[in-house]
Amino acid sequence: MEKRQELYAGKAKSVFRTDDPDRMVLVFRDDTSAFDGKKVEQLDRKGMVNNKFNAFIMTKLAQAGIPTHFEKLLSDNESLVKRLDMMPIECVVRNVAAGSLTRRLGVQEGTELTPPTFELFLKNDALGDPMINESHVEAFGWAKPEHLAKAKELTYQVNDVLKALFAEGGMILVDYKLEFGLFNGEVVLGDEFSPDGCRLWDAETKEKMDKDRFRQGLGGVIEAYEDVGRRIGIDFDA
Ligand code: C5P
């Protein structure tokens, strides 16, 4: 496999073509951004930590029968993935109220959500990723109804697997965002799963161990990500 030209550079990852039209290389950079790119910093080791974190989680999900784009780690900060035709939407599940939900609905952070909520957002930086609903997805053709239904089912399945995994490590999976795409007509989990795209709290102290540490200027961002990783069995030195 040969890495070719850059296809796309996002806020924290870059994507490269390979000599195989169906495979891409994801490069996890040290860049960390929040508030639609208004706050950006370089955090030492972040690319490596998120790359290995994502590889571990994607492997766990695949073992649980959830199709993912992840193929293998290539280096400390690079992974080989399948090239998906991405749906321009974000699927968010919340087990506990935090973040935009508390602002939007005026509910107390920490309120348990039973059953968990499922929300959709349009991936559109210029519009600030607005919240949308299933009829918008269908009316604007962002995904076929059956593909959206599958993405929703898989998003809930991920919740069952990861809530249990993080609970074993003494943490609460508060919420998370997933992105899906199509590979040979099948709905497959793409993008990444790392503490950049979820909220994780220590189950006892409720200490934040995710990107809210960066958003809220709490410090110790990468130390917290590594702590999360170690608690679920990731060896970042491997
Ligand atoms: O900001 P909000 O509370 O809606 O975020 C819900 C979850 O989705 C959080 O875990 C957040 O980190 C994640 N998210 C993300 N990328 C976005 C928006 C939200 O990873 N563009």
Side-chain angles (χ1 to χ4, degrees):
M1 194 281 307
E2 197 184 300
K3 189 172 158 192
R4 298 251 169 103
Q5 76 271 30
E6 188 174 72
L7 261 179
Y8 171 78
K11 297 190 198 84
K13 295 191 295 298
S14 301
V15 180
F16 290 79
R17 275 185 210 280
T18 68
D19 51 354
D20 177 346
D22 289 333
R23 300 286 180 284
M24 305 189 310
V25 174
L26 288 189
V27 178
F28 289 74
R29 308 194 313 268
D30 286 347
D31 299 325
T32 312
S33 84
F35 312 120
D36 287 326
K38 289 185 202 79
K39 177 173 178 175
V40 183
E41 276 173 38
Q42 293 257 317
L43 297 178
D44 201 31
R45 301 200 310 282
K46 175 169 179 278
M48 179 275 289
V49 167
N50 276 7
N51 184 39
K52 291 183 179 174
F53 198 106
N54 177 64
F56 182 88
I57 296 287
M58 291 279 175
T59 304
K60 287 276 180 208
L61 295 176
Q63 285 165 356
I66 295 161
T68 89
H69 71 158
F70 177 78
E71 301 242 304
K72 62 175 178 177
L73 277 174
L74 294 174
S75 71
D76 269 4
N77 65 346
E78 296 170 307
S79 286
L80 186 69
V81 298
K82 293 186 183 73
R83 186 172 183 179
L84 308 184
D85 180 14
M86 295 302 291
M87 303 177 188
I89 55 181
E90 301 182 338
C91 298
V92 171
V93 159
R94 300 177 193 268
N95 296 304
V96 176
S100 72
L101 183 76
T102 61
R103 294 190 293 275
R104 200 180 327 120
L105 301 182
V107 290
Q108 185 76 32
E109 181 180 89
T111 307
E112 271 191 49
L113 303 168
T114 322
T117 62
F118 177 81
E119 296 168 355
L120 292 166
F121 297 87
L122 180 66
K123 274 179 75 70
N124 184 319
D125 283 340
L127 297 177
D129 296 345
M131 193 174 181
I132 54 173
N133 66 31
E134 294 179 29
S135 75
H136 293 133
V137 176
E138 188 172 355
F140 293 107
W142 290 318
K144 288 191 177 157
E146 63 270 29
H147 292 154
L148 179 63
K150 187 68 191 179
K152 184 174 178 178
E153 182 190 321
L154 291 172
T155 302
Y156 277 122
Q157 240 175 291
V158 166
N159 201 34
D160 294 336
V161 178
L162 296 189
K163 249 189 349 188
L165 177 73
F166 289 116
E168 276 174 38
M171 292 169 283
I172 300 167
L173 178 60
V174 171
D175 59 29
Y176 57 91
K177 181 264 304 179
L178 301 180
E179 296 181 27
F180 294 88
L182 296 176
F183 188 77
N184 294 334
E186 185 193 17
V187 177
V188 171
L189 177 62
D191 192 50
E192 71 177 278
F193 191 101
S194 74
D196 267 4
C198 68
R199 289 191 172 93
L200 291 160
W201 294 351
D202 180 90
E204 294 296 319
T205 65
K206 305 289 191 291
E207 190 191 1
K208 293 176 177 169
M209 306 180 73
D210 53 70
K211 196 157 109 179
D212 272 349
R213 298 201 69 81
F214 176 73
R215 295 187 188 98
Q216 299 173 8
L218 300 174
V221 180
I222 299 310
E223 290 77 3
Y225 287 22
E226 286 175 312
D227 188 12
V228 172
R230 278 191 293 265
R231 288 188 190 201
I232 57 173
I234 302 175
D235 179 2
F236 291 107
D237 297 321

mmCIF file of all heavy atoms in Angstrom, residues 31-53:
data_model
loop_
_atom_site.group_PDB
_atom_site.id
_atom_site.type_symbol
_atom_site.label_atom_id
_atom_site.label_comp_id
_atom_site.label_asym_id
_atom_site.label_seq_id
_atom_site.Cartn_x
_atom_site.Cartn_y
_atom_site.Cartn_z
ATOM 1 N N ASP A 31 -3.346 18.760 16.295
ATOM 2 C CA ASP A 31 -4.259 19.912 16.359
ATOM 3 C C ASP A 31 -5.520 19.553 17.139
ATOM 4 O O ASP A 31 -6.091 18.476 16.976
ATOM 5 C CB ASP A 31 -4.691 20.344 14.947
ATOM 6 C CG ASP A 31 -3.518 20.771 14.115
ATOM 7 O OD1 ASP A 31 -2.583 21.363 14.671
ATOM 8 O OD2 ASP A 31 -3.524 20.506 12.894
ATOM 9 N N THR A 32 -5.949 20.483 17.963
ATOM 10 C CA THR A 32 -7.171 20.306 18.747
ATOM 11 C C THR A 32 -8.012 21.549 18.535
ATOM 12 O O THR A 32 -7.509 22.671 18.689
ATOM 13 C CB THR A 32 -6.830 20.182 20.242
ATOM 14 O OG1 THR A 32 -5.763 19.238 20.363
ATOM 15 C CG2 THR A 32 -8.021 19.702 21.041
ATOM 16 N N SER A 33 -9.279 21.354 18.161
ATOM 17 C CA SER A 33 -10.097 22.543 17.909
ATOM 18 C C SER A 33 -11.449 22.403 18.597
ATOM 19 O O SER A 33 -11.915 21.295 18.875
ATOM 20 C CB SER A 33 -10.286 22.758 16.408
ATOM 21 O OG SER A 33 -11.344 21.972 15.947
ATOM 22 N N ALA A 34 -12.040 23.542 18.900
ATOM 23 C CA ALA A 34 -13.378 23.558 19.501
ATOM 24 C C ALA A 34 -14.088 24.819 19.034
ATOM 25 O O ALA A 34 -13.465 25.723 18.477
ATOM 26 C CB ALA A 34 -13.275 23.530 21.021
ATOM 27 N N PHE A 35 -15.382 24.849 19.298
ATOM 28 C CA PHE A 35 -16.211 26.017 18.942
ATOM 29 C C PHE A 35 -16.079 26.339 17.439
ATOM 30 O O PHE A 35 -15.704 27.452 17.066
ATOM 31 C CB PHE A 35 -15.849 27.231 19.816
ATOM 32 C CG PHE A 35 -15.775 26.916 21.282
ATOM 33 C CD1 PHE A 35 -14.604 27.111 22.007
ATOM 34 C CD2 PHE A 35 -16.874 26.369 21.946
ATOM 35 C CE1 PHE A 35 -14.523 26.785 23.364
ATOM 36 C CE2 PHE A 35 -16.807 26.046 23.296
ATOM 37 C CZ PHE A 35 -15.631 26.255 24.001
ATOM 38 N N ASP A 36 -16.355 25.335 16.603
ATOM 39 C CA ASP A 36 -16.294 25.495 15.141
ATOM 40 C C ASP A 36 -14.955 26.061 14.683
ATOM 41 O O ASP A 36 -14.890 26.918 13.793
ATOM 42 C CB ASP A 36 -17.429 26.401 14.647
ATOM 43 C CG ASP A 36 -18.775 25.692 14.700
ATOM 44 O OD1 ASP A 36 -18.800 24.467 14.480
ATOM 45 O OD2 ASP A 36 -19.784 26.365 14.977
ATOM 46 N N GLY A 37 -13.881 25.600 15.301
ATOM 47 C CA GLY A 37 -12.541 26.008 14.870
ATOM 48 C C GLY A 37 -12.091 27.359 15.415
ATOM 49 O O GLY A 37 -11.026 27.856 15.040
ATOM 50 N N LYS A 38 -12.881 27.947 16.315
ATOM 51 C CA LYS A 38 -12.477 29.262 16.852
ATOM 52 C C LYS A 38 -11.366 29.118 17.895
ATOM 53 O O LYS A 38 -10.607 30.039 18.119
ATOM 54 C CB LYS A 38 -13.691 29.994 17.456
ATOM 55 C CG LYS A 38 -14.661 30.484 16.393
ATOM 56 C CD LYS A 38 -15.792 31.309 16.990
ATOM 57 C CE LYS A 38 -17.001 31.358 16.085
ATOM 58 N NZ LYS A 38 -17.840 30.122 16.159
ATOM 59 N N LYS A 39 -11.306 27.967 18.574
ATOM 60 C CA LYS A 39 -10.217 27.711 19.524
ATOM 61 C C LYS A 39 -9.389 26.562 18.973
ATOM 62 O O LYS A 39 -9.903 25.454 18.803
ATOM 63 C CB LYS A 39 -10.802 27.354 20.908
ATOM 64 C CG LYS A 39 -9.749 27.009 21.951
ATOM 65 C CD LYS A 39 -10.345 26.825 23.350
ATOM 66 C CE LYS A 39 -9.234 26.432 24.329
ATOM 67 N NZ LYS A 39 -9.691 26.347 25.714
ATOM 68 N N VAL A 40 -8.118 26.825 18.645
ATOM 69 C CA VAL A 40 -7.257 25.780 18.077
ATOM 70 C C VAL A 40 -5.922 25.786 18.819
ATOM 71 O O VAL A 40 -5.347 26.846 19.051
ATOM 72 C CB VAL A 40 -6.991 26.022 16.568
ATOM 73 C CG1 VAL A 40 -6.161 24.884 15.984
ATOM 74 C CG2 VAL A 40 -8.293 26.171 15.798
ATOM 75 N N GLU A 41 -5.463 24.603 19.208
ATOM 76 C CA GLU A 41 -4.148 24.472 19.847
ATOM 77 C C GLU A 41 -3.525 23.158 19.416
ATOM 78 O O GLU A 41 -4.224 22.224 19.037
ATOM 79 C CB GLU A 41 -4.288 24.454 21.382
ATOM 80 C CG GLU A 41 -4.364 25.823 22.013
ATOM 81 C CD GLU A 41 -4.663 25.749 23.510
ATOM 82 O OE1 GLU A 41 -4.142 24.836 24.186
ATOM 83 O OE2 GLU A 41 -5.448 26.600 23.974
ATOM 84 N N GLN A 42 -2.202 23.116 19.505
ATOM 85 C CA GLN A 42 -1.476 21.864 19.266
ATOM 86 C C GLN A 42 -1.242 21.229 20.630
ATOM 87 O O GLN A 42 -0.717 21.903 21.522
ATOM 88 C CB GLN A 42 -0.102 22.192 18.675
ATOM 89 C CG GLN A 42 -0.141 22.784 17.283
ATOM 90 C CD GLN A 42 0.226 21.745 16.261
ATOM 91 O OE1 GLN A 42 1.171 20.989 16.465
ATOM 92 N NE2 GLN A 42 -0.521 21.686 15.201
ATOM 93 N N LEU A 43 -1.631 19.986 20.795
ATOM 94 C CA LEU A 43 -1.382 19.299 22.059
ATOM 95 C C LEU A 43 -0.464 18.116 21.777
ATOM 96 O O LEU A 43 -0.816 17.219 20.999
ATOM 97 C CB LEU A 43 -2.698 18.821 22.691
ATOM 98 C CG LEU A 43 -3.693 19.923 23.093
ATOM 99 C CD1 LEU A 43 -4.967 19.295 23.650
ATOM 100 C CD2 LEU A 43 -3.090 20.873 24.115
ATOM 101 N N ASP A 44 0.706 18.161 22.406
ATOM 102 C CA ASP A 44 1.715 17.131 22.223
ATOM 103 C C ASP A 44 1.127 15.728 22.463
ATOM 104 O O ASP A 44 0.402 15.542 23.436
ATOM 105 C CB ASP A 44 2.844 17.420 23.232
ATOM 106 C CG ASP A 44 4.125 16.771 22.810
ATOM 107 O OD1 ASP A 44 4.331 16.642 21.601
ATOM 108 O OD2 ASP A 44 4.897 16.364 23.701
ATOM 109 N N ARG A 45 1.425 14.786 21.583
ATOM 110 C CA ARG A 45 1.014 13.366 21.678
ATOM 111 C C ARG A 45 -0.433 13.113 21.285
ATOM 112 O O ARG A 45 -0.861 11.971 21.220
ATOM 113 C CB ARG A 45 1.227 12.763 23.092
ATOM 114 C CG ARG A 45 2.634 12.793 23.611
ATOM 115 C CD ARG A 45 2.875 11.789 24.742
ATOM 116 N NE ARG A 45 1.893 11.851 25.807
ATOM 117 C CZ ARG A 45 1.876 12.761 26.764
ATOM 118 N NH1 ARG A 45 2.783 13.699 26.799
ATOM 119 N NH2 ARG A 45 0.937 12.729 27.699
ATOM 120 N N LYS A 46 -1.220 14.173 21.027
ATOM 121 C CA LYS A 46 -2.643 13.949 20.785
ATOM 122 C C LYS A 46 -2.903 13.063 19.571
ATOM 123 O O LYS A 46 -3.760 12.169 19.618
ATOM 124 C CB LYS A 46 -3.373 15.270 20.605
ATOM 125 C CG LYS A 46 -4.828 15.067 20.237
ATOM 126 C CD LYS A 46 -5.570 16.356 20.319
ATOM 127 C CE LYS A 46 -6.999 16.174 19.933
ATOM 128 N NZ LYS A 46 -7.192 16.179 18.477
ATOM 129 N N GLY A 47 -2.163 13.289 18.473
ATOM 130 C CA GLY A 47 -2.381 12.490 17.262
ATOM 131 C C GLY A 47 -2.180 11.011 17.547
ATOM 132 O O GLY A 47 -2.998 10.170 17.171
ATOM 133 N N MET A 48 -1.095 10.691 18.243
ATOM 134 C CA MET A 48 -0.775 9.302 18.569
ATOM 135 C C MET A 48 -1.855 8.706 19.494
ATOM 136 O O MET A 48 -2.343 7.595 19.258
ATOM 137 C CB MET A 48 0.614 9.263 19.245
ATOM 138 C CG MET A 48 1.101 7.909 19.668
ATOM 139 S SD MET A 48 0.506 7.385 21.289
ATOM 140 C CE MET A 48 1.422 8.469 22.391
ATOM 141 N N VAL A 49 -2.219 9.475 20.520
ATOM 142 C CA VAL A 49 -3.196 8.958 21.494
ATOM 143 C C VAL A 49 -4.538 8.690 20.811
ATOM 144 O O VAL A 49 -5.126 7.611 20.973
ATOM 145 C CB VAL A 49 -3.350 9.942 22.692
ATOM 146 C CG1 VAL A 49 -4.568 9.587 23.537
ATOM 147 C CG2 VAL A 49 -2.084 9.935 23.541
ATOM 148 N N ASN A 50 -5.025 9.634 20.023
ATOM 149 C CA ASN A 50 -6.334 9.437 19.388
ATOM 150 C C ASN A 50 -6.297 8.341 18.325
ATOM 151 O O ASN A 50 -7.271 7.603 18.151
ATOM 152 C CB ASN A 50 -6.854 10.747 18.785
ATOM 153 C CG ASN A 50 -7.561 11.597 19.819
ATOM 154 O OD1 ASN A 50 -7.557 11.270 20.997
ATOM 155 N ND2 ASN A 50 -8.165 12.679 19.395
ATOM 156 N N ASN A 51 -5.176 8.224 17.615
ATOM 157 C CA ASN A 51 -5.057 7.171 16.601
ATOM 158 C C ASN A 51 -5.146 5.790 17.263
ATOM 159 O O ASN A 51 -5.912 4.924 16.816
ATOM 160 C CB ASN A 51 -3.719 7.335 15.873
ATOM 161 C CG ASN A 51 -3.546 6.353 14.728
ATOM 162 O OD1 ASN A 51 -4.495 6.060 14.001
ATOM 163 N ND2 ASN A 51 -2.328 5.845 14.569
ATOM 164 N N LYS A 52 -4.400 5.604 18.363
ATOM 165 C CA LYS A 52 -4.406 4.295 19.026
ATOM 166 C C LYS A 52 -5.728 4.056 19.758
ATOM 167 O O LYS A 52 -6.221 2.930 19.821
ATOM 168 C CB LYS A 52 -3.207 4.181 19.973
ATOM 169 C CG LYS A 52 -1.892 4.114 19.198
ATOM 170 C CD LYS A 52 -0.705 3.919 20.110
ATOM 171 C CE LYS A 52 0.578 3.838 19.275
ATOM 172 N NZ LYS A 52 1.780 3.784 20.137
ATOM 173 N N PHE A 53 -6.296 5.117 20.305
ATOM 174 C CA PHE A 53 -7.593 5.021 20.979
ATOM 175 C C PHE A 53 -8.649 4.555 19.979
ATOM 176 O O PHE A 53 -9.410 3.607 20.217
ATOM 177 C CB PHE A 53 -7.972 6.393 21.553
ATOM 178 C CG PHE A 53 -9.036 6.359 22.595
ATOM 179 C CD1 PHE A 53 -8.740 6.548 23.927
ATOM 180 C CD2 PHE A 53 -10.366 6.135 22.250
ATOM 181 C CE1 PHE A 53 -9.728 6.511 24.894
ATOM 182 C CE2 PHE A 53 -11.359 6.102 23.215
ATOM 183 C CZ PHE A 53 -11.037 6.291 24.538
#
